[in-house]
Amino acid sequence: MSRETGALRASGICVRLGKLDVLKDVSLEARKGEVLGLIGPNGAGKSTFLRVMAGLRLPDTGRVTLDNVAFAAISPNRRARHIAFVPQNGGRPPPMSVYDLISLGRLPFGCDLANRAAILRAMAETGTEMLKNRPASALSGGELARVLLARALASETPYLIADEPIAALDPAHALSVMTLFRDLARKGTGVMVVLHDLTLAARFCDRVVLLDEGRIVGCGIPADIMTDAAMRAVYNVDVRRLDGAVIPWSLLRTDGDAIR
Amino acid sequence: MIRHPDFRLILVLSSGLAALFVAALFWGESSLDIPAAFRDLLDGRHSVGAIILGQLRLPRALLAVLIGGTLGLCGAVLQGYLRNPLADPALLGVSGGAALGAVVVFYTGLSAGIGLALPAGGLAGALLAVVLLLGLAGQGGTMALLLAGAALTSFFAAMTSLTLNLVSSPYASFEIMHWLMGSLADRTMTHVWLCLPGIVAGCGLMFSTARTLDALTLGEDVAESLGFRLDGLFGVQSRVVVGAALAVGSSVAVSGAIGFIGLVVPHLLRPFTGHRPARLLVPSFLGGAVLLLLADELARVIPTSSELHVGVLTAVGGAPLFFWRVIRLRRTGV
């Protein structure tokens, strides 16, 4: 299935929440085989856009298509077999075992003999085999983040959409998750992920999309998009660079001078 | 062949249920030759044994299974859907609606004239509550559902108190009080037929939500991303609300309010089902049936000056289980 699925494309997406325009005419294509990073300040509309791309929210105008078919014409089950979604910190998990929790990722597939193998692969990829029989409610933040990711991987969908999946992780686990995303992309999965860590975004994303106030202000390879000027304009920070890493260094005053 | 993970639990509960059912038929004030009575019943002979078995004990036992099962299942479904272990069937206000409907029948004196006026009134009250609940909660999600249920519960309770207050004959208010306590005494096969359609349809709808409830354990976004519809006519909220309301409304209309089964049974069984809501449904139905059948048999045989109401017994027995839950929560954190 994964080989045949075409692009996931959003065109002209507008979303209003009350009087606020959260997304203003956003168009973007997620491609299979690449890690696409969504960056931008808090409130830029990243999470809303991710939910629109995952089919969890209907845009007020514009549409999302999978393989040139609009979401409206795709059954929720078919969509679930193509796009897996990991929400931002999901709250307190139920006390079911880690294996059972990961197996929820197979729900769209009904009773399938391939289920068990897919669950085991997802556990191996995320290094969660050791946690198999532990109750999910007794995991540490980092363990839980990996288990929730394994739940999504178990669906083995052509597209994986994740909202800040490394926010709760220490540097080693954050690196291992980003490496996993890159490996998945090399095997053909389209990974779309919201990130706040600019260094990891610059290092692991094939393309980044810079969102600000509901608009795309830049889209392309990290080096082209994450320029000093763009970072200053969007995040209001000065950055320093070290071996390709982008390090937020100091806040800007509103008149443009850095605060030390 | 893949063996169901809860095979043993379901086997234990079904065997217990079968044993209690047989006991309910054999056990009672008058000792009967049950095999003979059973033969008479099948052959259509109106012997004393056949009448006691077919018109007293059988409907009573059947109602205990149907109503106990409904309450247990409904508790499990609501606790899963709302992701709140304190949810119980009375939460939706449908029991309150059924109680008000029955009380109004008492008040107007219809119950004295027509035998089935009482459950019919209860059913009408329950259906009114369902319509109000759907109108109020709409597609507003779990919070709107909880608020609408709380509003309806307090409204129906106020109306029931008002009716009790206005009723002139002390005999009628005594009858109302007794009905509100919940009982399965003196019910006939007509009562069974009256509540059966609502219970079958309601339980069917509730069982159909099993996989969605599993998906909902990780939140609404994950459930929706796994391809489950939450809103809309065939979404999980409609199925939970309509299913629970139909089944519980039909049950309460016939038995009066029977508390604690819907709250306690899922709690007792959850640790045996791996905390997966879908796996809890069938055991909760069986467990509710077992508990109500057991309580009703106790109500029949415990010698008291007036026969114990099974609703009182489940409340008296159910409340201490919650004391135990609090103590366990504070000790182990689960």
Side-chain angles (χ1 to χ4, degrees):
Chain A
M1 183 197 307
S2 131
R3 295 268 166 268
E4 300 149 14
T5 311
L8 179 62
R9 196 175 293 130
S11 39
I13 303 293
C14 296
V15 171
R16 286 178 76 87
L17 270 179
K19 285 186 174 174
L20 189 72
D21 285 312
V22 184
L23 292 175
K24 303 163 193 162
D25 192 23
V26 176
S27 299
L28 183 69
E29 183 183 302
R31 298 170 198 145
K32 290 204 309 169
E34 71 167 11
V35 179
L36 176 61
L38 244 70
I39 58 173
N42 295 126
K46 302 183 298 296
S47 294
T48 307
F49 183 59
L50 223 53
R51 296 187 73 240
V52 170
M53 286 296 265
L56 303 178
R57 190 185 211 295
L58 275 178
D60 293 309
T61 53
R63 62 178 203 159
V64 184
T65 58
L66 176 67
D67 218 358
N68 293 321
V69 184
F71 269 4
I74 301 175
S75 77
N77 180 262
R78 191 173 143 74
R79 192 193 65 218
R81 287 163 178 252
H82 287 80
I83 304 169
F85 178 73
V86 186
Q88 217 167 331
N89 50 28
R92 197 181 144 88
M96 63 173 67
S97 76
V98 164
Y99 182 89
D100 278 355
L101 194 154
I102 294 174
S103 73
L104 296 179
R106 298 305 296 175
L107 277 174
F109 302 87
C111 293
D112 187 335
L113 287 174
N115 284 352
R116 201 179 147 70
I119 295 165
L120 294 179
R121 271 195 297 275
M123 289 201 296
E125 279 166 341
T126 50
T128 48
E129 304 106 319
M130 312 287 284
L131 308 171
K132 194 175 157 188
N133 297 317
R134 290 254 299 274
S137 51
L139 299 176
S140 74
E143 289 167 337
L144 180 63
R146 281 183 293 141
V147 167
L148 292 176
L149 185 60
R151 192 279 306 159
L153 292 184
S155 300
E156 304 199 323
T157 47
Y159 286 98
L160 173 68
I161 296 183
D163 197 352
E164 294 189 37
I166 58 169
L169 301 184
D170 62 43
H173 284 122
L175 272 173
S176 77
V177 167
M178 291 310 296
T179 310
L180 170 64
F181 285 154
R182 193 166 60 188
D183 293 347
L184 283 170
R186 296 297 166 263
K187 288 183 218 154
T189 306
V191 180
M192 189 171 169
V193 53
V194 167
L195 292 171
H196 277 305
D197 188 316
L198 299 177
T199 304
L200 292 182
R203 216 188 124 195
F204 284 94
C205 295
D206 298 303
R207 275 195 304 155
V208 291
V209 172
L210 184 57
L211 267 176
D212 189 31
E213 293 179 350
R215 279 183 214 283
I216 291 182
V217 293
C219 175
I221 60 167
D224 291 349
I225 303 304
M226 299 165 73
T227 59
D228 291 2
M231 296 297 100
R232 232 182 260 132
V234 168
Y235 284 105
N236 223 25
V237 293
D238 252 333
V239 294
R240 290 197 181 177
R241 287 167 197 277
L242 188 71
D243 284 346
V246 183
I247 306 162
W249 200 259
S250 54
L251 270 175
L252 291 180
R253 279 210 210 99
T254 39
D255 58 9
D257 291 328
I259 308 166
R260 295 292 161 195
Chain B
M1 197 184 112
I2 301 167
R3 191 189 248 196
H4 194 272
D6 302 312
F7 178 76
R8 279 168 66 184
L9 179 65
I10 288 172
L11 189 71
V12 167
L13 288 170
S14 323
S15 323
L17 184 60
L20 281 168
F21 193 85
V22 172
L25 297 183
F26 273 81
W27 201 1
E29 276 175 42
S30 42
S31 49
L32 292 178
D33 177 3
I34 294 295
F38 197 67
R39 273 196 301 278
D40 288 346
L41 188 64
L42 287 181
D43 295 344
R45 278 192 293 275
H46 294 283
S47 69
V48 177
I51 288 169
I52 290 181
L53 187 66
Q55 294 184 15
L56 291 174
R57 292 186 188 171
L58 187 63
R60 190 168 178 162
L62 281 175
L63 282 174
V65 170
L66 287 172
I67 295 174
T70 293
L71 294 173
L73 170 66
C74 183
V77 167
L78 284 175
Q79 289 176 13
Y81 175 63
L82 298 170
R83 278 166 283 151
N84 184 337
L86 290 180
D88 107 321
L91 194 88
L92 297 177
V94 177
S95 314
L100 179 64
V103 167
V104 167
V105 169
F106 270 119
Y107 180 68
T108 53
L110 279 171
S111 61
I114 314 154
L116 284 176
L118 199 55
L123 206 53
L127 290 176
L128 173 72
V130 178
V131 172
L132 287 176
L133 186 68
L134 286 174
L136 270 175
Q139 297 298 334
T142 53
M143 199 59 196
L145 182 63
L146 282 170
L147 278 173
L152 283 178
T153 304
S154 38
F155 172 72
F156 286 132
M159 288 296 120
T160 305
S161 302
L162 181 68
T163 318
L164 274 170
N165 197 174
L166 293 180
V167 77
S168 49
S169 129
Y171 177 72
S173 61
F174 179 76
E175 282 280 292
I176 292 175
M177 287 303 291
H178 264 266
W179 188 85
L180 287 177
M181 285 179 198
S183 169
L184 295 173
D186 307 325
R187 305 300 196 268
T188 62
M189 284 310 282
T190 318
H191 288 94
V192 175
W193 296 125
L194 197 70
C195 69
L196 195 63
I199 287 184
V200 169
C203 288
L205 277 174
M206 285 194 282
F207 276 120
S208 78
T209 63
R211 283 156 50 82
T212 318
L213 295 183
D214 260 1
L216 272 169
T217 52
L218 292 177
E220 297 184 0
D221 270 356
V222 171
E224 233 176 317
S225 79
L226 286 170
F228 294 97
R229 283 180 215 269
L230 306 184
D231 308 323
L233 194 56
F234 300 104
V236 66
Q237 176 158 356
S238 311
R239 280 184 284 151
V240 166
V241 172
V242 175
L246 272 181
V248 173
S250 308
S251 301
V252 176
V254 166
S255 68
I258 294 175
F260 279 97
I261 289 192
L263 195 56
V264 163
V265 166
H267 265 285
L268 292 177
L269 296 174
R270 193 167 283 124
F272 301 105
T273 55
H275 295 270
R276 287 191 71 159
R279 282 172 50 189
L280 189 58
L281 301 191
V282 172
S284 286
F285 185 93
L286 294 171
V290 164
L291 207 60
L292 189 56
L293 204 48
L294 186 68
D296 192 48
E297 283 176 32
L298 287 176
R300 278 164 60 192
V301 298
I302 293 177
T304 45
S305 52
S306 62
E307 187 179 301
L308 269 177
H309 285 278
V310 68
V312 177
L313 202 64
T314 56
V316 168
L321 282 170
F322 264 80
F323 287 110
W324 167 74
R325 274 296 282 129
V326 177
I327 293 167
R328 204 183 75 169
L329 179 76
R330 295 196 51 180
R331 277 202 192 136
T332 65
V334 187

